[in-house]
Amino acid sequence: MDKFVVRGGNPLLGTIKVSGAKNSALPCMAAAILTEDEVILENIPQVQDIETERKLLTSMGAEVELGYGRAQHRTHIKCAILSDPVAKYEIVKTMRASSLVLGPLIARTGIARVAMPGGCAIGGRPIDLHINGLEAMGATITQDHGYLEARADRLKGAHIVFDKITVTGTEDLLMAATLAEGESIFENCAREPEVTDLAALLIAMGAKIEGAGTGTIRIQGVAKLHGARHRINPDRIEAGTFLIAGAITGGDLNVDCCEPKHLGALISKLEQCGVKIDVGADHVRVRSGGELKAADITTEEYPGFPTDMQAQYMALATQAEGTSTVIENIFENRFMHVQELIRMGANITISGRTATVRGKTPLQSAAVMCSDLRASASLVLAALVADGETILDRVYHLDRGYEHFEEKLRGVGAQIRRMGDVFGRK
Ligand code: UD1
């Protein structure tokens, strides 16, 4: 298993580029299932989850050509024949987003067999809302040996009010509804930019969708979708991670190729912390003299403060003067970075869904363990300001979602390198 070795102390200076959003790319790749024509996606990030999705689609009979190195990271997907509409456990066990193929598979082929998903260990993470929605659209769903099997001759449009806001649930049902018979109205939908990005692709494929990005989405089902070309949005979580990297190290960092409109909640929080922010059309410059003030956050659905930035923000809070309260509203078990931050010298207490961070505490290097994707990023951020050399184990969690993370950080002055396992294990 690869490790990162990080020596703290350098302010990050210069320009760092943001890649395409993993969480947009995953549903957009799944959307290719809905047509037998070719779908071309640009700005697909080179991360492990995308490789997992490539394997998943290929195992079903699709042709997928990931165009890394080529201009725009252009990826071609053609699902002309889906000979085996099964998402096998061996492939999906590391990635919860594999439940995204459920809706498009049943809509296109009338049958889907999907292993119950794995992914980040941040809470129970059920998919009952996906299942209830597909049943409301006329699918029959059974479960056996860890697999869900869904069947329907043709899905029917339905009026669905989500009990709870779910990002991939909204995306899954949105894809299913594009080929359903009649109209679907979904309420209490996720408004995340990734939903809007997916809807833009689906509309380019011939789907009739109104209201994506709002709480209510209307879809008129069509008989067939066709191929399309689409560029994936910049990754707002990667951009946010870099903004915090600039702020925590007392740097001057230009986070380029991002969409500042998607970063509103984080930017205003950083400003409360005393960080200077300049927003351009597609870049955000972050400057900090190293003097940070505490500020509280509560994670919420978009446009609130993203749960996917909570762990990184917590690293920053350890370096702010005063007490910051961090409330995690979305997932019940998303404080796994806390124990590791404490081992590095942070003063954090947890009570239920609330973490209280008392700063500023000097951080010391230590051997730490990455537990999930965003927790890994949090530990790298802490290591960038720690005294000495921190060794981060299990960085495969980070590789699921950050493209060339260490190279990008090295390019702006971080001392970070990857160390392969002496036994060659992955
Ligand atoms: C997506 C993102 C993930 C992010 C999360 C919240 C992708 C691939 N992943 O995950 O990075 O952290 O949104 O912004 O886009 N829930 C249910 N039943 C369901 C589905 C969800 O109870 O059927 C609950 C979850 O347990 C959680 C909440 O709803 O408490 C939100 O989860 P959801 O928005 O579905 O997260 P994901 O789509 O899995």
Side-chain angles (χ1 to χ4, degrees), residues 23 96 125-129 164 166-168 308 330-331:
N23 285 355
R96 179 187 152 74
R125 307 191 78 172
I127 57 163
D128 54 313
L129 301 174
K164 199 169 179 181
T166 159
V167 179
T168 49
D308 282 355
I330 308 292
F331 293 111

Side-chain angles (χ1 to χ4, degrees), residues 22-24 26-27 96-97 100 122 124-131 164-169 171 190 192 194 236 300-301 307-308 329-332 334 353 374:
K22 164 185 88 80
N23 285 355
S24 282
L26 292 172
R96 179 187 152 74
L100 278 169
I122 50 173
R125 307 191 78 172
I127 57 163
D128 54 313
L129 301 174
H130 301 232
I131 295 170
K164 199 169 179 181
I165 296 178
T166 159
V167 179
T168 49
E171 292 164 348
E192 267 66 4
E194 292 75 29
R236 64 195 169 95
E300 282 165 9
E301 293 88 2
T307 173
D308 282 355
N329 257 330
I330 308 292
F331 293 111
E332 77 269 24
R334 204 167 197 183
R353 287 174 176 257
R374 307 303 171 186

Side-chain angles (χ1 to χ4, degrees), residues 307-329:
T307 173
D308 282 355
M309 284 304 303
Q310 179 259 105
Q312 301 90 314
Y313 183 83
M314 187 123 40
L316 183 81
T318 67
Q319 299 308 294
E321 284 300 337
T323 301
S324 311
T325 304
V326 174
I327 301 176
E328 174 53 60
N329 257 330

